Amino acid sequence: MNKPTKWLIQAVTPLDRYVGDRVALLGDAAHGMPPHLGNGAGQAIEDALILGNAIAKSVQSGTADIPKILETYNAIRQPFGNFVARETKRAGLLYDFTDEAGFEGLREGDKVSLERLAELGTEINEKWAWTWTASALDDLKKVEAAFQ
Ligand SMILES: Cc1cc2nc3c(=O)[nH]c(=O)nc-3n(C[C@H](O)[C@H](O)[C@H](O)COP(=O)(O)OP(=O)(O)OC[C@H]3O[C@@H](n4cnc5c(N)ncnc54)[C@H](O)[C@@H]3O)c2cc1C
C-alpha cells in the first residue's frame, strides 16, 4: 500500500470491576479492545444478555435487587470480558510480528523461517478456539442459579 489510511486503535485499560454503586458498564465502556479477534461487539451483546437476564430473573423472583443484579453481572462478565480483551491484544501482537511475539529485531525485508511461520499459524488458530468452545448460554445458567 502506498498511501494507507491510519487511525488510532483505542483500548480500555483493564478494569477490576464493571459495576459500582448503581452503575453498570457494558460493551466498549467496560472492555474496549483492539479489533484483532473481531469480538468487541460480540462481547457487548453478551454483556447485555447477562445483565438483561439478571434483571429479569430478579424481577421474576419478586424484587428488583439492584446490588445483587450488578454483582451477578460483574462476577460473570468482568473476568470473561477482560480475558477476551487480553487475548485480542495478544493476537494483534502476533499478527504484527512484534517483539512481544518473539520477533525481536525483525525488520522489513528480513526472512522468517517457514517453521516459525507454521508455529505462529498454530498459535493464532488456538487464539480463536474459545470462540467456538465457550458459550454465553453456560453463563445464562449461572444467572439462573444466582436467582433461584
Ligand atoms: C473498524 C472496526 C471494526 C470492528 N469489527 C468488529 C467485528 O468484526 N466484530 C465485533 O464483534 N466487533 C467489531 N468491532 C468492535 C465493535 O464495533 C464495538 O466493540 C462495539 O460497537 C461496541 O459497542 P458499544 O455499544 O459498547 O459502543 P458503541 O458502538 O461505541 O456505542 C456507543 C454509542 O454511544 C453514543 N454516545 C457516546 N457518548 C454519548 C453521549 N454523551 N450521549 C449519548 N450518546 C452517546 C455513541 O455515539 C455511540 O452510538 C469493530 C470496531 C471497529 C472500530
Side-chain angles (χ1 to χ4, degrees):
M1 287 184 284
N2 292 327
K3 289 186 180 172
T5 55
K6 296 183 189 176
W7 71 81
L8 289 173
I9 297 179
Q10 308 271 18
V12 169
T13 303
L15 300 178
D16 294 336
R17 291 174 61 75
Y18 292 175
V19 302
D21 296 332
R22 294 168 76 87
V23 174
L25 298 178
L26 287 79
D28 278 9
H31 44 60
M33 61 187 77
H36 300 92
L37 289 179
N39 245 279
Q43 292 308 306
I45 291 166
E46 293 189 13
D47 290 340
L49 177 77
I50 296 304
L51 182 59
N53 270 274
I55 294 169
K57 293 290 170 202
S58 182
V59 170
Q60 282 166 9
S61 73
T63 174
D65 184 342
I66 304 293
K68 187 172 176 185
I69 290 167
L70 294 182
E71 283 309 321
T72 303
Y73 164 72
N74 185 64
I76 294 172
R77 290 303 304 164
Q78 188 271 349
F80 200 75
N82 282 23
F83 159 77
V84 175
R86 199 167 54 244
E87 291 299 288
T88 297
K89 184 176 175 191
R90 173 79 184 152
L93 296 174
L94 294 178
Y95 297 167
D96 292 344
F97 296 93
T98 56
D99 293 0
E100 290 88 341
F103 292 97
E104 291 86 2
L106 187 71
R107 294 286 169 266
E108 191 172 340
D110 289 353
K111 286 205 163 55
V112 179
S113 73
L114 286 178
E115 291 75 23
R116 180 67 190 108
L117 289 177
E119 279 170 21
L120 182 64
T122 302
E123 192 176 351
I124 288 171
N125 243 351
E126 287 168 356
K127 283 269 159 268
W128 288 90
W130 63 268
T131 62
W132 53 84
T133 56
S135 170
L137 297 180
D138 294 332
D139 288 339
L140 272 186
K141 289 181 196 148
K142 293 181 197 164
V143 175
E144 278 171 23
F147 288 96
Q148 265 173 2

